Amino acid sequence: PIHAQPSCNNIHSIDIMHSLSNDRFRKVSKGDVRNVWSVIQTNKRRRIQVQWDLKRVPFVMKTLRWPRDYLKQTYVLQQKEAVALDYLSNTPGITSLYGFCGMVSLTGYANEGNLADFLKRRLKISKNVSPAEFLAIAARLAAAVASMQGREWSVMGSGYQVRNVTLQAIHRDIGPSNVLLNQGTRRLDVKLDDFNKAYILRRYDRKSLKKRICTYDDRYVCGEDGRRPDTRSPEECQENRSVTHKLDTFGKGTVFFYLLTQNRVHNLNSDSPGPAGEHVEWYRERVRRGETPEIPQTIASKSNQAVMAIIEGMRMAMVPDPKKRPSALEIAEYLNKEYWKYVDTSMKNETIRKEIQDRIRERNKKEPY
């Protein structure tokens, strides 16, 4: 008995036409179905000079793309996302939901965009992202998935004969475009977005109230519903296999691979025939067999502690058997520990280097030319 709780008033109070004509709406991104608009000061008719600062935009509005028709199945997907975000509100690492009505929703703004765009932009400008930053993103993504899996909520009645039922969400589509980054005053935060493929499942048995693993039987095997086969988990590619929240743990492992290589899993295999969209069955077979993707030797041979930690986190997340796969929390704790160890080591090295430089300067002052 889960229903979307639309808050249409928040959306109807936004004067879209006036905001567009006064540069208070700006298109910042688009997905397959919806456009994403950054919004500032939308319900004030006073003529003011708008000072755009994308670091401080309060929220975004998602609207149906113009070439798209309003279809029931499309609406159901957006309703599913609204339900998931509503129940996951105040969960660390999950984007915020401020309003939902029909095909429109108001969600939190991420000033660095999604992970794929962030890496393209940063690597184009600076040609490099520091290992510490890579490891921080990996650790915070792992923590976001762990928070989602640890977040449980109860349904008590609501007109139905239900009592003390605990529920849990499964994202089912964790990838670089669904991982948002927001640069705060102190740190770079990671947020999970796009829950329109999510499932919400019972966490407890209604009769005995004993803990049990939630499962579901997916109608679509290995991305037959149009999703990329190369980012599915092995259990999603095996028919008649009940799937659990562990598929999201596997999903974040594919994002770790993307962090390291800026490519999807198996796309860099030495025997890869080409893009996943053109060779679907080849990729499905690799996933079905639970093969670990090949990491380029230039990355695997690095002795950098941060890179090695991300590779280990990826291998932990991509264990083929979901029963043997570590929990998202275990991986998050491992990466967080490695991150602070790396930061601590780097600070010590910097301090030592500074001390040596100071000694050399003092020696040069004392010695005659």
Side-chain angles (χ1 to χ4, degrees):
I2 302 175
H3 302 278
Q5 302 174 24
S7 51
C8 293
N9 288 344
N10 290 346
I11 293 170
H12 291 316
S13 67
I14 297 175
D15 190 338
I16 297 178
M17 296 304 296
H18 184 263
S19 299
L20 280 171
S21 62
N22 286 274
D23 193 27
R24 297 176 185 174
F25 253 35
R26 286 190 181 181
K27 185 178 175 183
V28 292
S29 184
K30 67 179 180 180
D32 185 48
V33 176
R34 294 193 291 180
N35 288 321
V36 182
W37 306 81
S38 57
V39 185
I40 62 169
Q41 297 174 317
T42 56
N43 57 353
K44 296 180 180 179
R45 288 189 171 277
R46 291 185 295 114
R47 288 188 175 274
I48 60 174
Q49 184 178 0
V50 177
Q51 297 293 330
W52 274 94
D53 181 357
L54 291 179
K55 299 289 184 182
R56 298 181 179 180
V57 170
F59 62 89
V60 297
M61 172 182 274
K62 297 180 180 180
T63 62
L64 187 67
R65 291 184 63 186
W66 295 300
R68 294 287 182 179
D69 293 325
Y70 186 99
L71 302 174
K72 182 178 180 181
Q73 55 266 38
T74 307
Y75 167 73
V76 169
L77 291 178
Q78 312 317 318
Q79 184 185 42
K80 184 183 293 188
E81 178 183 53
V83 170
L85 290 179
D86 185 28
Y87 279 91
L88 287 170
S89 61
N90 299 323
T91 302
I94 307 298
T95 191
S96 303
L97 178 71
Y98 303 125
F100 160 70
C101 189
M103 288 298 301
V104 180
S105 63
L106 306 179
T107 62
Y109 177 70
N111 55 42
E112 293 289 355
N114 64 48
L115 179 61
D117 292 340
F118 170 80
L119 291 178
K120 287 178 184 176
R121 185 171 63 253
R122 289 291 298 275
L123 293 172
K124 182 178 180 180
I125 296 173
S126 64
K127 306 297 183 183
N128 187 31
V129 179
S130 69
E133 200 165 22
F134 273 130
L135 185 53
I137 292 171
R140 287 160 195 168
L141 171 60
V145 176
S147 295
M148 179 181 66
Q149 293 181 355
R151 176 78 162 89
E152 298 175 345
W153 57 87
S154 298
V155 177
M156 302 292 288
S158 302
Y160 294 82
Q161 297 299 315
V162 178
R163 187 179 65 178
N164 209 21
V165 174
T166 310
L167 307 170
Q168 187 179 48
I170 299 179
H171 189 285
R172 296 179 65 236
D173 198 24
I174 295 177
S177 60
N178 295 336
V179 175
L180 303 182
L181 301 175
N182 188 74
Q183 182 64 62
T185 55
R186 295 185 177 181
R187 53 177 261 171
L188 184 67
D189 290 321
V190 175
K191 302 281 187 180
L192 285 177
D193 191 36
D194 281 353
F195 279 76
N196 51 30
K197 301 289 195 306
Y199 282 166
I200 299 177
L201 307 175
R202 290 185 185 278
R203 186 64 176 170
Y204 295 148
D205 182 271
R206 182 157 43 167
K207 294 181 180 179
S208 65
L209 298 183
K210 291 181 179 179
K211 261 194 175 182
R212 63 185 178 87
I213 298 175
C214 304
T215 64
Y216 72 89
D217 297 320
D218 204 335
R219 292 183 299 167
Y220 303 102
V221 178
C222 214
E224 289 178 350
D225 55 349
R227 292 179 296 159
R228 296 179 62 107
D230 53 340
T231 55
R232 304 275 65 81
S233 64
E235 56 265 35
E236 289 180 276
C237 293
Q238 298 170 6
E239 295 186 19
N240 303 319
R241 177 88 177 257
S242 293
V243 184
T244 71
H245 62 282
K246 285 291 188 73
L247 71 89
D248 283 339
T249 304
F250 189 94
K252 72 180 181 183
T254 67
V255 179
F256 294 162
F257 182 89
Y258 188 89
L259 259 179
L260 293 166
T261 67
Q262 288 77 63
N263 279 273
R264 304 271 185 163
V265 292
H266 301 298
N267 282 240
L268 298 179
N269 285 20
S270 55
D271 58 342
S272 172
E278 300 173 10
H279 305 275
V280 174
E281 287 305 321
W282 186 90
Y283 284 92
R284 281 179 177 162
E285 187 58 30
R286 297 302 175 283
V287 176
R288 191 176 290 115
R289 295 203 299 254
E291 293 185 8
T292 302
E294 293 181 18
I295 299 177
Q297 190 61 28
T298 53
I299 296 174
S301 61
K302 286 185 177 180
S303 58
N304 185 279
Q305 180 184 346
V307 174
M308 293 298 101
I310 297 173
I311 292 175
E312 180 60 25
M314 182 201 77
R315 288 172 176 159
M316 291 170 67
M318 297 184 71
V319 170
D321 187 349
K323 293 181 180 179
K324 298 179 181 179
R325 192 177 303 153
S327 69
L329 181 59
E330 290 174 309
I331 299 171
E333 290 175 342
Y334 164 75
L335 289 174
N336 187 60
K337 179 181 177 182
E338 290 299 312
Y339 170 72
W340 288 111
K341 186 189 298 183
Y342 181 79
V343 170
D344 186 50
T345 303
S346 300
M347 288 297 292
K348 287 179 180 178
N349 290 343
E350 184 179 349
T351 302
I352 293 171
R353 193 181 306 113
K354 189 174 183 300
E355 289 176 354
I356 293 173
Q357 289 172 348
D358 291 340
R359 289 174 189 171
I360 293 174
R361 291 193 192 98
E362 290 296 321
R363 185 190 64 188
N364 291 338
K365 287 179 181 179
K366 294 178 181 179
E367 291 180 355
Y369 291 101

